[in-house]
Amino acid sequence: MFAFILRRSGVMLLTVLALTFIVFWLTNLPPNLEKLAKSEASVRMTDAEVASWLDRNGYGSSTLNRYGQWLGVVPGWTREEDGRFTGRCISGTATSLDDAPTRCGILQGAWGYSTVFKQPVADVIKRSLSMTSWLMLWVMIVMVPTALILGVLSGMREGSWTDRILSGFAIITTATPEYVSGVIFIVIFASATVGISPVLTELGWIEGKTLFQGTATAAMDKITFWNFALPVMTIALYGIGYIARMTRASMTEVMSQQYIRTARLKGVSFRQVVMKHALRNALIAPFTVIMLQFPWLLNGVVIVETLFNYKGFGWTLVQAAGNNDIPLLLGCSVVAVVVVLITQLISDIGYVFLNPRIRLS
Amino acid sequence: MTWDPTQPILEIENLSITFFTRLRQIPAVMDFSCKVMAGEAMGLVGESGCGKSTVALAVMRDLGKNGKITGGRILFKGQDLTSMSDEELRRIRGSEIAMIYQEPMASLNPAMKIGAQLAEVPMIHRGMSRADAWALARQIVADVRLPDPDRMLNSYPHQLSGGQQQRIVIAMALMAKPALLILDEPTTALDVTVEAGIVALVKELGEKYGTSMLFISHNLGLVLDVCDRLCVMYSGEAVETGNVAEVFTEMRHPYTQALFRAIPLPGADKNARPLISIPGNFPLPHERPNGCNFGPRCDYFQPGCCDAGEIAMEPVPGSDRHATRCLKWQEIDWLAPPKAAHAREKLPPGEIVLKMDDLRKYYQVSSGAFGGGMTKVVKANETLSFEARKGETLAIVGESGCGKSTFAKVLMGLETATSGKIMLFDENVQSTPIQKRGADTVSKLQMVFQNPFDTLNPSMTVGRQIIRALEVFQFGKSDAERHARMLELLDLVKLPRAFAERMPRQLSGGQKQRVGIARAFAGGAKVVVADEPVSALDVSVQAAVTDLLMDIQRENGTTLLFISHDLSIVRYLSDRVMVMYLGHVVEMGTTAQVFAPPYHPYTEALLSAVPIADPTVTRKHIVLEGAIPSAMNPPPGCPFQTRCRWKSQVAGGLCEREMPPVVSLDGGHQIKCHLTAEQFASMEPVIRIAAE
Amino acid sequence: MQDLSWLQIILKSAIAFAPVWIALALTFALSIRYRRRLGLYGKLFDSTVGMIGFAIVMFWIFTALFADLIITHDPLVQLSGMKNKLPGTAIANAAEGVYPWYLLGGDNLARDVFSRMVMGAREVLKIAPAATVFAFMVGITLGLPAGYFAGKFDTILSFIANLVLAFPVILLFYLLVTPEIVETGIPIWFAAALFLFPVIFFTVLFNSRFHMLPARRNLYVGLTLLIGLWAWAGLAFNKDPTGLFSMSPNMLNVFVSVVFVNSPGVFRIVRGLVMDIKARDYVAAGQTRGEGPWYIMLWEILPNARGPLIVDFCLRIGYTTILLGTLGFFGLGVSPESPDWGSTIDDGRRLLAIFPHAALVPAIALMSLVLGLNLLADGLREESLKD
């Protein structure tokens, strides 16, 4: 078991390196750098001026070398000009190199400086992640139990009316990406002119103009049901359908197994058959699915935060990418990739724990 | 409600079961009646699809969504099960009636400890406390003679061997001391020597607890071993019922008779007394004929009589509840010998076509669950030496893990040998993978596979698959030539030419197996490896396919390497036999030599384990303890020493230390054993046929 | 002209879709009549779910095909006074020959929402199925040997596949679908690599099948190489002299990204299926007959994996549609004028709370197409299991 986790972590580390390098390479392509130079210095630079600007600011070396610097395993670049030093690890200019550290990459905790937010990347990411973790927490609280219950209920008796209705619901939600469900939700619940809000206002059932708020900006200060329900529902909905379908498939498969028949013919009541015999076996597959959902959930986060104007991680990512903010984009990528990989690791380990057949062999 | 123990425990009256699908209704069981008295073991025999398992599930009232009982009653201790509510059923299931299934692994919950699964039964039915239930479970586990019960209870199913799992399933069924035990092919998935242990256990426990049994099997020999009475089923109907001795010796239904003539009993011989297969095919449920279902395949069929209308069960006078569903049973001369199938000449063996010399095949296997760790060497084949002659049938016998499949792979060139030599005709092929062998060599050495449902590509027509083989073997110059040859091959395996356009799913198991044979012989194969070619087929089809193989062999002078675990069929068709255990050849000789003493102790156990459907045969019962060791972890010394009953007679623990030498007895008979010549001489035959 | 009531809007829209209804009716009449001879496709008509899914999917396919006949206005033309107008609004002072209403209203640039929705179907269906086909080619060509040979090759490919799958899709798009990337020419090389797979696939397919019949082999392989390399040169490098095969750099970039994102998923499915099927006896029979590994993979294993692959194909087109919508929603890789559903939703969402129709119409259209594909996949799965 320990060896397994070790091996898995090794592969994970390799994956992180490979992925971050790809991101680094893609964000540091010559056209990106040219754009950066023009936005930082002057838009009307000639090609030669761009080249010299890049050279002066440490972009002259090879991609691999710069990746090493960014990572913090290669000494940061330095440059001497008229007795003044500039460099990766020096803010502004310095008179000597002695005070500055030689290496300053993400390993040393130096994530760089965001060009859009004019703040250290680490601060920006920390703030946005805390925003997003609230969102994710509520999404998980809503999504996982709902999806599992729906899936188990419909898979328990295949072909029954409960099954058909729940499966129908699940299939519709899997066909509704966040940018569609978000739009529909806003129209139905958060518009003062259409949907159900005007009706409810007229009846006097709700105070204010809308049932829910169509933007989650207010939730950044204080989360309320009123301002947070729609973004959470929007992300959760797609996942609910997907996980419920997995759970249902897994449950119907388990329910058709011989050992369920054995249990039934032992005289175990249907309730107990489901609870004691089927559930554990049926939840192995969905568990891994929930964990592997994270890359897709991140999609949802980006869309929903953009749609509801909630300044979390997804929103920050969009800002960084849209404004060619290379350090921030790199930072976001590292966080995203690491989060995804950690969930994958948890999924692997959890699978082994849930499944005695693997654990003990 | 009280129940009079002189009354039947289970009484099924005119039961009819139909499955409702969207396309049609499929009557699965029609007008089925039987009685099981207290303490009695009732056998339900028939080929696949005859409805025997459906009857069992109907008794449990577990026919699924589509199955409905459309008529009749099932009385258990006088109560009608067909009209019980779910709650009443639940109280009976597991406590009064328990069931044991074919696949032990599948019937145990993989995520629950054995103990919890066992203890559940008394906890539900008798409201026992958890601790008491576990104690009872421990006692019953000891009762089914599993070693180390405490460890067993705390294990998960996958940690046990197949035989142990089946013992656990039996223990589970016995937890509530049920009045009726239903066993649905309980040993089919197990090896023969393991099966023998389970059968002995079931019999013993049945007597000990006084449980009545409904024993479902396709194996007549097994039924003879276990049951007091039996009921033969054919195509959804009971055709004959009676006590075992009577039905076996004085059968009164043509199907029962045909069944007995189709199974290889001791004394049958491929040349002098060949098997008689049942002509035609098992009718599909919606294509059953009028009148007698067996009519179209029956030798005694009389138009206008047998196909006129419903036929009822008719009691045979002066017998022990013996009845038959045949209109003509009184006219048929039951003692008349079968129309003698023409005896054939025995082929004299020709020159040597295949010679193996000290062949070894080792695998490197990495141990540890998650890769990494140390690599282990698995010795799948050790010092294999033999030769096979033209026109000869050499049987390779052994149970799972004995290395017979590895041997076939190496011979075919799918794997290369670790060391040793294989001479095929005059070519050394031990290290030539199949890709490097010429089309000629490949076409001369072909294989027939075990599973008929797997042997043909499901998405290609039968004709296309044979033509593909011809193309690969570079037969013929044009498509037309190959097509003509393909039709000839269909003729050869006695299939209608129209089958060329069929898809495999439209064929029955036996027909598929015939196509597989045609494909193997497409390039005029000289050596054919047949890997259990008939073990997955029904008895009546088995005989026909075996016969076909023999016929083709006789015509072409093919050398047949017949891999099998079924000693009956091996005795029937092979000239020489090679017995394998854990990668070693433990005994080799002519069929007569291997089937008569002196035996290798393993051969002796194997012979005694195979049930024989003939009451005149007496068999010594030698039950092997324990399971077959894993090839990953073979015991030191003699591979068989862990289960050998002769081990104590070899002085000084030699068996545990040294690999025995190969002892050559007269006539080329070889045995790999430490026993002395005197000890060999003292061995008694396992099987005795009573004098007529 | 009067503004239309809701009933009139529905009626007029239905009339506008007339060519689609006719085509649908024909398809269904013919298919149901001959369904017993049509294999799995025919069996689809035994399943209600499958039939509904198929109807929805075909509705959008026919809509895309006949879009020119259906649209009531040019989707790019702005009519003054029609900005943010509600569905059914009549056009003031409509010129002769101009359809007198905006059936589903006008958007914030005063364009006809109905016509944009119809044209959007064409945009989506131009890319999604083709991209999925290419993803399948790549996934199959790599997944077959990975599953069949296992070993090192499999380990490396699986690592790469997991690498791509671990990448959050949205991030990948933000990195790949940018004008800067197009400038570097990376998409072209990417396309060159990805588009080569179909050519390799068919060449190996025919070669393994006919290698012992050289005349036939040369014909098939020759034709494949000729057509394949011609299309390849056109699509990847825009060097097709006849101009039959070509793709704009922006479109190429989107296409390649979508193929790239989808391929690892297909790879994993194919690999799993192969590992399962390769243990069958008919594969062993092929091996003992001396067949080459590629014959066994392509002709013995692949056809028997078709059931799950067809189901996945349908689901994956839906997934690709969602991805394309996502791209549009973030304005990646599409021209700002494009009527594709994703960017239309993005345009419309700014005034969502006041004028919902501009975003709602494409949203529902996209949802219904994906729903149709999911239902179709469900129906196919159900029927293919029934055999």
Side-chain angles (χ1 to χ4, degrees):
Chain A
M1 188 69 210
F2 182 70
F4 165 71
I5 296 177
L6 212 66
R7 233 170 71 91
R8 209 52 202 73
S9 311
V11 173
M12 196 181 120
L13 204 66
L14 196 63
T15 314
V16 172
L17 283 178
L19 287 182
T20 49
F21 178 73
I22 293 170
V23 176
F24 189 88
W25 174 63
L26 285 174
T27 48
N28 281 277
L29 290 169
N32 294 65
L33 295 180
E34 187 186 326
K35 202 171 154 193
L36 176 77
K38 285 183 177 169
S39 66
E40 290 294 296
S42 145
V43 185
R44 280 182 292 278
M45 283 200 291
T46 62
D47 285 357
E49 282 166 340
V50 167
S52 91
W53 186 90
L54 288 177
D55 199 40
R56 251 185 296 134
N57 287 284
Y59 293 99
S61 53
S62 72
T63 310
L64 198 62
N65 181 281
R66 275 182 289 131
Y67 174 68
Q69 290 182 29
W70 172 78
L71 209 57
V73 293
V74 172
W77 60 273
T78 52
R79 188 182 176 82
E80 191 192 345
E81 215 168 294
D82 316 327
R84 313 283 296 171
F85 288 93
T86 52
R88 182 181 169 86
C89 308
I90 302 163
S91 56
T93 55
T95 45
S96 89
L97 285 174
D98 302 337
D99 300 337
T102 40
R103 293 180 183 80
C104 51
I106 54 166
L107 289 180
Q108 285 79 28
W111 291 60
Y113 195 77
S114 162
T115 53
V116 182
F117 295 97
K118 310 291 180 208
Q119 273 174 359
V121 167
D123 294 352
V124 176
I125 288 183
K126 218 179 285 165
R127 196 180 57 229
S128 62
L129 265 185
S130 81
M131 290 291 159
T132 298
S133 51
W134 283 112
L135 185 60
M136 290 310 289
L137 178 72
W138 283 105
V139 167
M140 283 296 176
I141 290 174
V142 172
M143 179 177 79
V144 174
T146 321
L148 292 184
I149 290 170
L150 287 187
V152 167
L153 282 181
S154 69
M156 202 164 73
R157 294 180 200 266
E158 198 187 353
S160 65
W161 274 106
T162 332
D163 177 26
R164 281 185 210 180
I165 292 166
L166 294 181
S167 298
F169 171 74
I171 206 169
I172 289 174
T173 63
T174 52
T176 318
E178 293 85 353
Y179 52 88
V180 169
S181 52
V183 162
I184 294 176
F185 278 148
I186 291 179
V187 170
I188 295 180
F189 299 115
S191 163
T193 51
V194 286
I196 59 170
S197 302
V199 182
L200 293 178
T201 319
E202 213 159 285
L203 291 171
W205 289 6
I206 50 168
E207 294 171 25
K209 284 204 187 107
T210 57
L211 180 58
F212 293 115
Q213 204 171 19
T215 144
T217 320
M220 289 191 286
D221 301 324
K222 187 172 184 297
I223 293 171
T224 62
F225 186 57
W226 187 55
N227 60 28
F228 221 44
L230 288 189
V232 168
M233 274 310 296
T234 305
I235 301 183
L237 194 70
Y238 186 84
I240 286 175
Y242 190 73
I243 299 172
R245 270 161 71 85
M246 280 291 157
T247 315
R248 177 185 178 273
S250 171
M251 189 71 189
T252 48
E253 204 218 309
V254 167
M255 286 306 281
S256 67
Q257 293 290 318
Q258 180 83 60
Y259 58 82
I260 294 299
R261 170 173 273 173
T262 311
R264 210 165 50 224
L265 298 191
K266 269 199 291 199
V268 182
S269 65
F270 185 76
R271 227 185 113 80
Q272 285 296 312
V273 167
V274 172
M275 300 298 289
K276 258 179 90 177
H277 290 265
L279 219 50
R280 175 160 176 188
N281 289 298
L283 288 185
I284 295 173
F287 173 78
T288 52
V289 170
I290 293 172
M291 285 300 161
L292 296 179
Q293 270 284 294
F294 267 81
W296 183 267
L297 279 178
L298 192 73
N299 255 14
V301 167
V302 175
I303 292 169
V304 163
E305 289 185 352
T306 309
L307 195 60
F308 289 92
N309 206 14
Y310 182 74
K311 298 190 173 65
F313 184 74
W315 183 84
T316 310
L317 181 69
V318 173
Q319 295 305 315
N323 296 303
N324 198 35
D325 186 345
I326 296 173
L328 185 58
L329 189 54
L330 278 170
C332 286
S333 309
V334 173
V335 171
V337 164
V338 168
V339 167
V340 166
L341 289 175
I342 287 175
T343 55
Q344 279 184 3
L345 186 68
I346 295 174
S347 145
D348 280 0
I349 296 170
Y351 181 75
V352 170
F353 260 103
L354 278 174
N355 198 343
R357 231 180 298 190
I358 295 181
R359 173 157 37 112
L360 299 169
S361 63
Chain B
M1 189 165 153
T2 52
W3 163 72
D4 172 10
T6 60
Q7 290 298 305
I9 282 257
L10 179 73
E11 191 172 10
I12 303 178
E13 288 172 0
N14 310 98
L15 179 70
S16 295
I17 300 162
T18 304
F19 285 93
F20 294 85
T21 67
R22 221 166 25 169
L23 288 179
R24 57 172 75 92
Q25 300 179 9
I26 301 168
V29 173
M30 284 125 16
D31 187 29
F32 178 89
S33 304
C34 85
K35 257 184 222 160
V36 183
M37 306 300 284
E40 207 172 55
M42 174 77 163
L44 222 50
V45 188
E47 296 175 90
S48 54
C50 72
K52 53 192 193 300
S53 298
T54 312
V55 170
L57 290 177
V59 174
M60 295 306 279
R61 283 284 310 280
D62 191 51
L63 288 167
K65 266 183 302 192
N66 300 327
K68 294 258 154 39
I69 295 175
T70 48
R73 296 196 300 166
I74 304 171
L75 298 176
F76 175 74
K77 292 190 173 176
Q79 294 167 281
D80 189 356
L81 291 173
T82 58
S83 59
M84 271 190 191
S85 71
D86 283 350
E87 194 48 37
E88 286 170 300
L89 278 171
R90 207 171 64 70
R91 236 171 284 140
I92 285 186
R93 287 172 177 169
S95 69
E96 298 267 21
I97 311 177
M99 189 157 174
I100 293 167
Y101 320 83
Q102 183 168 350
E103 285 281 342
M105 181 68 201
S107 27
L108 293 171
N109 189 334
M112 250 169 110
K113 283 188 179 163
I114 301 273
Q117 300 192 45
L118 288 174
E120 197 178 28
V121 179
M123 283 162 76
I124 296 169
H125 292 294
R126 286 199 249 149
M128 217 181 247
S129 75
R130 208 182 118 82
D132 289 350
W134 275 70
L136 179 65
R138 193 189 175 287
Q139 182 203 330
I140 303 259
V141 167
D143 258 13
V144 295
R145 278 191 260 115
L146 280 170
D148 200 355
D150 289 312
R151 192 177 55 85
M152 286 288 160
L153 291 182
N154 281 307
S155 314
Y156 286 96
H158 67 273
Q159 294 169 299
L160 275 52
S161 72
Q164 289 174 329
Q165 285 168 356
Q166 194 59 298
R167 280 168 197 263
I168 292 293
V169 175
I170 292 172
M172 193 151 73
L174 294 174
M175 283 300 285
K177 308 228 164 34
L180 176 67
L181 193 56
I182 302 176
L183 301 101
D184 189 358
E185 307 254 8
T187 56
T188 309
L190 304 174
D191 273 318
V192 201
T193 51
V194 180
E195 170 184 85
I198 299 280
V199 168
L201 177 74
V202 166
K203 270 166 68 177
E204 184 201 303
L205 292 176
E207 277 156 30
K208 183 172 166 190
Y209 292 102
T211 317
S212 305
M213 281 191 267
L214 191 60
F215 188 91
I216 296 162
S217 181
H218 67 281
N219 188 332
L220 285 165
L222 216 51
V223 171
L224 176 65
D225 268 6
V226 178
C227 301
D228 310 307
R229 303 182 55 79
L230 93 164
C231 175
V232 182
M233 289 188 73
Y234 181 78
S235 192
E237 290 180 331
V239 292
E240 185 166 9
T241 173
N243 86 39
V244 167
E246 252 176 38
V247 175
F248 272 61
T249 50
E250 293 167 43
M251 68 256 332
R252 287 295 175 262
H253 192 280
Y255 174 64
T256 319
Q257 189 187 41
L259 215 49
F260 275 99
R261 287 179 177 173
I263 52 177
L265 295 172
D269 178 272
K270 65 173 163 177
N271 295 311
R273 270 181 61 192
L275 300 179
I276 303 160
S277 56
I278 307 177
N281 275 315
F282 200 82
L284 291 173
H286 55 277
E287 290 170 354
R288 288 188 183 123
N290 246 343
C292 179
N293 283 342
F294 188 59
R297 304 172 74 186
C298 181
D299 288 342
Y300 309 103
F301 180 72
Q302 187 183 337
C305 163
C306 297
D307 54 4
E310 295 290 298
I311 300 165
M313 282 299 254
E314 201 177 318
V316 177
S319 64
D320 174 22
R321 291 181 283 149
H322 189 172
T324 171
R325 198 185 289 271
C326 179
L327 291 172
K328 298 185 66 193
W329 73 269
Q330 277 163 312
E331 300 161 33
I332 296 170
D333 178 7
W334 294 101
L335 295 175
K339 262 177 273 163
H342 45 93
R344 294 147 175 131
E345 285 287 301
K346 187 177 179 336
L347 275 185
E351 74 273 19
I352 294 174
V353 291
L354 176 72
K355 188 170 177 350
M356 290 219 175
D357 195 13
D358 200 25
L359 183 88
R360 289 158 204 256
K361 175 66 192 173
Y362 297 167
Y363 288 104
Q364 298 273 340
V365 177
S366 61
S367 57
F370 307 104
M374 286 178 300
T375 54
K376 254 187 172 171
V377 175
V378 175
K379 298 177 176 176
N381 284 154
E382 272 274 46
T383 58
L384 214 62
S385 303
F386 71 91
E387 49 202 39
R389 291 168 182 276
K390 182 171 191 267
E392 185 183 47
T393 307
L394 174 67
I396 298 158
V397 177
E399 297 174 279
S400 54
C402 74
K404 52 192 180 174
S405 319
T406 308
F407 155 77
K409 275 188 192 159
V410 173
L411 177 59
M412 298 307 297
L414 300 181
E415 313 253 2
T416 50
T418 310
S419 73
K421 279 201 180 109
I422 306 176
M423 288 286 287
L424 184 63
F425 301 96
D426 36 19
E427 209 182 327
N428 256 324
V429 294
Q430 68 276 4
S431 44
T432 324
I434 189 145
Q435 299 275 303
K436 301 232 171 76
R437 294 184 185 181
D440 188 42
T441 315
V442 171
S443 64
K444 269 194 277 186
L445 173 61
Q446 277 296 298
M447 188 155 173
V448 177
F449 294 88
Q450 174 176 14
N451 187 347
F453 299 95
D454 231 30
T455 184
L456 300 182
N457 184 338
S459 38
M460 229 190 255
T461 63
V462 165
R464 207 26 282 142
Q465 305 202 32
I466 299 177
I467 288 179
R468 176 69 195 177
L470 291 170
E471 282 175 4
V472 172
F473 298 152
Q474 289 164 2
F475 180 95
K477 287 177 196 65
S478 64
D479 282 356
E481 219 171 295
R482 282 187 284 268
H483 192 258
R485 171 71 182 155
M486 181 268 292
L487 293 178
E488 280 171 37
L489 282 165
L490 284 180
D491 295 344
L492 178 74
V493 294
K494 303 194 178 79
L495 285 177
R497 289 188 165 200
F499 273 34
E501 300 307 318
R502 299 262 177 102
M503 292 307 262
R505 64 168 183 279
Q506 296 166 288
L507 271 56
S508 72
Q511 289 165 340
K512 284 185 202 173
Q513 209 55 324
R514 283 167 193 264
V515 177
I517 293 171
R519 191 178 53 186
F521 280 93
K526 294 282 179 247
V527 179
V528 169
V529 180
D531 184 4
E532 311 239 13
V534 295
S535 65
L537 300 176
D538 273 317
V539 176
S540 65
V541 187
Q542 255 182 19
V545 173
T546 320
D547 254 16
L548 174 73
L549 263 176
M550 296 290 109
D551 280 347
I552 299 177
Q553 178 188 31
R554 226 181 303 268
E555 254 164 61
N556 303 0
T558 320
T559 305
L560 199 60
L561 296 183
F562 191 88
I563 300 176
S564 179
H565 69 275
D566 181 354
L567 284 175
S568 314
I569 201 126
V570 165
R571 174 172 41 210
Y572 167 70
L573 58 73
S574 60
D575 301 311
R576 287 197 302 138
V577 180
M578 189 164 105
V579 182
M580 291 184 72
Y581 188 80
L582 277 186
H584 292 262
V585 176
V586 294
E587 183 168 2
M588 181 158 65
T590 64
T591 308
Q593 285 166 346
V594 172
F595 281 80
Y599 308 105
H600 183 279
Y602 175 61
T603 319
E604 185 190 31
L606 208 53
L607 273 172
S608 102
V610 178
I612 295 169
D614 187 343
T616 63
V617 170
T618 46
R619 227 167 2 118
K620 235 196 326 204
H621 284 280
I622 302 164
V623 172
L624 289 183
E625 293 301 325
I628 303 170
S630 141
M632 296 265 274
N633 229 337
C638 173
F640 188 57
Q641 51 108 342
T642 51
R643 303 167 79 199
C644 183
R645 68 177 189 127
W646 293 83
K647 187 168 112 182
S648 56
Q649 310 209 8
V650 176
L654 198 58
C655 299
E656 287 170 16
R657 278 183 286 116
E658 265 173 54
M659 181 63 70
V662 177
V663 182
S664 283
L665 306 167
D666 28 308
H669 188 192
Q670 296 177 342
I671 295 180
K672 202 180 220 173
C673 188
H674 284 302
L675 290 176
T676 60
E678 295 78 55
Q679 283 164 327
F680 278 133
S682 71
M683 280 185 178
E684 289 171 1
V686 174
I687 296 167
R688 281 176 206 280
I689 304 172
E692 300 268 326
Chain C
M1 283 286 171
Q2 293 261 309
D3 289 356
L4 297 174
S5 72
W6 280 106
L7 194 69
Q8 283 171 312
I9 294 174
I10 293 170
L11 222 72
K12 297 249 184 239
S13 308
I15 293 170
F17 276 116
V20 173
W21 303 131
I22 296 168
L24 265 183
L26 270 175
T27 314
F28 268 77
L30 287 175
S31 303
I32 291 179
R33 195 171 146 124
Y34 296 109
R35 65 179 155 170
R36 291 285 161 250
R37 282 194 247 155
L38 293 171
L40 181 61
Y41 168 72
K43 273 198 279 174
L44 190 61
F45 294 88
D46 290 335
S47 140
T48 323
V49 169
M51 241 186 339
I52 295 172
F54 183 68
I56 299 175
V57 172
M58 287 318 286
F59 173 85
W60 286 114
I61 291 179
F62 286 132
T63 302
L65 281 177
F66 303 128
D68 295 323
L69 298 175
I70 299 167
I71 50 169
T72 51
H73 294 89
D74 185 327
L76 301 182
V77 162
Q78 311 176 356
L79 287 184
S80 59
M82 295 307 286
K83 189 171 162 186
N84 291 329
K85 280 290 179 286
L86 291 179
T89 308
I91 295 168
N93 315 321
E96 193 68 25
V98 170
Y99 196 80
W101 297 281
Y102 268 10
L103 280 173
L104 296 176
D107 66 7
N108 61 350
L109 291 174
R111 295 170 299 195
D112 180 27
V113 171
F114 177 80
S115 302
R116 285 180 71 76
M117 184 257 302
V118 169
M119 269 305 177
R122 188 176 268 188
E123 293 293 315
V124 169
L125 289 171
K126 224 164 31 182
I127 302 182
T132 313
V133 168
F134 274 90
F136 262 75
M137 287 289 163
V138 176
I140 289 173
T141 315
L142 294 175
L144 284 175
Y148 188 74
F149 295 119
K152 284 254 165 10
F153 181 69
D154 176 36
T155 314
I156 294 169
L157 278 183
S158 293
F159 178 76
I160 296 174
N162 289 334
L163 214 63
V164 180
L165 287 173
F167 228 120
V169 181
I170 196 90
L171 181 60
L172 200 63
F173 278 157
Y174 261 121
L175 295 173
L176 281 181
V177 190
T178 60
E180 287 82 27
I181 291 259
V182 177
E183 250 175 76
T184 59
I186 291 173
I188 293 181
W189 293 106
F190 228 26
L194 291 178
F195 292 177
L196 207 53
F197 278 99
V199 185
I200 298 173
F201 177 82
F202 283 106
T203 308
V204 177
L205 184 79
F206 290 125
N207 184 50
S208 66
R209 172 80 172 73
F210 296 113
H211 66 94
M212 65 294 248
L213 309 167
R216 224 174 297 173
R217 189 259 311 264
N218 294 346
L219 175 71
Y220 287 123
V221 171
L223 274 178
T224 308
L225 286 176
L226 186 74
I227 299 173
L229 293 178
W230 174 19
W232 182 66
L235 291 176
F237 297 101
N238 216 356
K239 292 260 165 59
D240 172 14
T242 61
L244 186 63
F245 298 102
S246 73
M247 223 189 255
S248 74
N250 242 336
M251 172 106 139
L252 184 76
N253 193 4
V254 170
F255 194 86
V256 166
S257 306
V258 173
V259 172
F260 182 69
V261 168
N262 269 315
S263 303
V266 181
F267 166 84
R268 284 233 289 221
I269 291 177
V270 173
R271 176 176 169 271
L273 286 169
V274 172
M275 288 190 150
D276 176 26
I277 296 177
K278 77 173 174 183
R280 302 286 166 90
D281 277 352
Y282 54 82
V283 171
Q287 289 166 337
T288 57
R289 202 158 65 212
E291 300 280 12
W294 282 102
Y295 176 85
I296 290 174
M297 284 182 244
L298 290 166
W299 293 91
E300 302 273 0
I301 294 177
L302 190 57
N304 296 306
R306 67 181 185 278
L309 287 185
I310 292 172
V311 171
D312 185 67
F313 183 72
C314 292
L315 288 175
R316 211 161 274 281
I317 296 180
Y319 178 72
T320 310
T321 307
I322 292 180
L323 284 184
L324 289 173
T326 313
L327 281 176
F329 183 77
F330 288 111
L332 294 172
V334 286
S335 63
E337 296 246 282
S338 162
D340 85 282
W341 292 337
S343 41
T344 319
I345 295 173
D346 184 40
D347 288 343
R349 77 185 167 88
R350 290 174 229 292
L351 295 169
L352 200 54
I354 314 159
F355 304 113
H357 59 274
L360 208 53
V361 169
I364 289 171
L366 187 138
M367 184 184 129
S368 72
L369 173 59
V370 179
L371 179 64
L373 286 161
N374 285 1
L375 290 174
L376 179 62
D378 256 27
L380 284 171
R381 179 180 1 233
E382 197 183 306
E383 290 304 318
S384 70
L385 284 180
K386 248 179 212 165
D387 228 344

